[in-house]
């Protein structure tokens, strides 16, 4: 399954984007978020030297309906807020892509990490554009869920093979040495590795975008 890292630029006149740009040393760490029909609730850790001013600014925003300070220590506060404009939640709702938490937001930009099938990632891109949220794809890679693809014994042997240098170039561990290391017959070791490699390759190819 593809794993992507995106940097989103929050549009002007969206409260959290405007505040983070006004206080460019501040970091908003969004710990959780829940969309509703007409609003959204979020839990965030805010860190800044200008923390009192930021909290006052948030309270004065028309689109922030409630703000509760759960804890406050030095230059950091844990807050829960409700907003009538949870713009960042709309694209993930529309695309059906689960948003990985926590994520950080500073100076008007949010960094997201997303794991989803290729078609859902494409739909997320469409949704972001529809809501006027510009973004860049910083990194994308195939993420193999080996725990689901492989049996426990296959996974343990593959991990042992990697640790021993069996897949290094040049190879640092022979098949015989690997079999001795894990205490199984060479033929069993060879067959188990072959089946594991088959499953990993098939999973990798099935997750590639269609050409």
């Amino acid at each position: 399954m593809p794993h992507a890292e995106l940097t989103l630029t929050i549009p002007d006149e969206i409260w959290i984007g405007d505040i983070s740009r006004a206080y460019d040393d501040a970091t908003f760490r969004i710990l959780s978020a829940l969309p509703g029909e007409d609003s959204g609730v979020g839990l965030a850790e805010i860190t800044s030297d200008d923390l009192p001013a930021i909290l006052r600014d948030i309270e004065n925003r028309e689109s922030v309906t409630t703000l509760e300070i759960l804890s406050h220590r030095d230059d950091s506060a844990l807050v829960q807020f409700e907003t009538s404009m949870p713009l960042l939640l709309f694209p993930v709702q529309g695309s059906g892509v689960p948003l990985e938490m926590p994520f950080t937001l500073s100076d008007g930009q949010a960094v997201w990490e997303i794991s989803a099938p290729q078609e859902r990632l494409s739909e997320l891109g469409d949704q972001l554009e529809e809501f006027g949220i510009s973004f860049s794809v910083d990194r994308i890679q195939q993420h193999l869920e080996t725990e689901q693809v492989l049996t426990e014994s296959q996974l343990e042997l593959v991990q042992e093979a990697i640790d021993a240098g069996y897949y290094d170039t040049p190879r640092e561990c022979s098949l015989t040495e690997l079999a001795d290391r894990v205490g199984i017959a060479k033929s069993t070791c060879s067959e188990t590795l072959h089946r594991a490699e088959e499953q990993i390759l098939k999973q990798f190819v099935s997750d590639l975008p269609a050409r």
Side-chain angles (χ1 to χ4, degrees):
M1 180 181 296
H3 179 83
E5 183 178 297
L6 312 178
T7 297
L8 286 65
T9 299
I10 314 303
D12 293 338
E13 299 182 0
I14 300 300
W15 71 271
I16 196 167
D18 287 348
I19 291 176
S20 68
R21 277 185 282 265
Y23 303 90
D24 56 10
D25 74 313
T27 298
F28 293 75
R29 188 165 177 258
I30 310 301
L31 305 177
S32 62
L34 179 66
E37 290 185 8
D38 301 311
S39 64
V41 176
L43 182 68
E45 182 183 60
I46 306 172
T47 304
S48 173
D49 292 336
D50 295 319
L51 186 60
I54 290 176
L55 296 176
R56 287 194 300 270
D57 200 344
I58 294 174
E59 285 184 311
N60 292 330
R61 296 285 168 156
E62 184 177 349
S63 57
V64 178
T65 53
T66 62
L67 175 69
E68 183 176 356
I69 301 173
L70 304 180
S71 66
H72 185 186
R73 182 179 179 182
D74 297 331
D75 60 353
S76 179
L78 180 66
V79 304
Q80 182 172 301
F81 60 86
E82 183 172 359
T83 174
S84 59
M85 182 52 67
L87 183 71
L88 293 182
L89 298 182
F90 295 150
V92 294
Q93 271 188 298
S95 61
V97 172
L99 181 56
E100 296 183 20
M101 299 286 182
F103 69 87
T104 58
L105 190 153
S106 61
D107 198 18
Q109 293 189 320
V111 178
W112 281 2
E113 291 196 14
I114 300 290
S115 294
Q118 186 67 42
E119 60 271 16
R120 288 196 180 272
L121 286 179
S122 297
E123 177 61 26
L124 175 62
D126 293 342
Q127 289 283 325
L128 288 169
E129 291 178 359
E130 182 176 332
F131 285 101
I133 303 173
S134 60
F135 67 96
S136 63
V137 179
D138 302 323
R139 178 170 56 91
I140 188 165
Q141 65 185 45
Q142 293 292 330
H143 174 67
L144 297 180
E145 297 178 352
T146 52
E147 292 84 354
Q148 299 179 15
V149 173
L150 306 181
T151 65
E152 184 176 348
S153 60
Q154 288 172 342
L155 180 58
E156 289 177 355
L157 182 56
V158 169
Q159 289 176 331
E160 191 69 36
I162 292 171
D163 292 342
Y166 179 76
Y167 292 109
D168 289 355
T169 304
R171 181 168 287 174
E172 296 183 4
C173 174
S174 68
L175 183 62
T176 301
E177 291 170 333
L178 179 61
D180 290 341
R181 178 169 171 151
V182 297
I184 60 177
K186 180 179 178 180
S187 59
T188 302
C189 184
S190 176
E191 181 179 357
T192 304
L193 279 181
H194 177 74
R195 290 183 181 277
E197 291 160 357
E198 177 186 7
Q199 293 302 316
I200 291 172
L201 286 171
K202 285 181 176 178
Q203 180 69 30
F204 177 83
V205 172
S206 69
D207 283 336
L208 291 174
R211 294 189 298 175

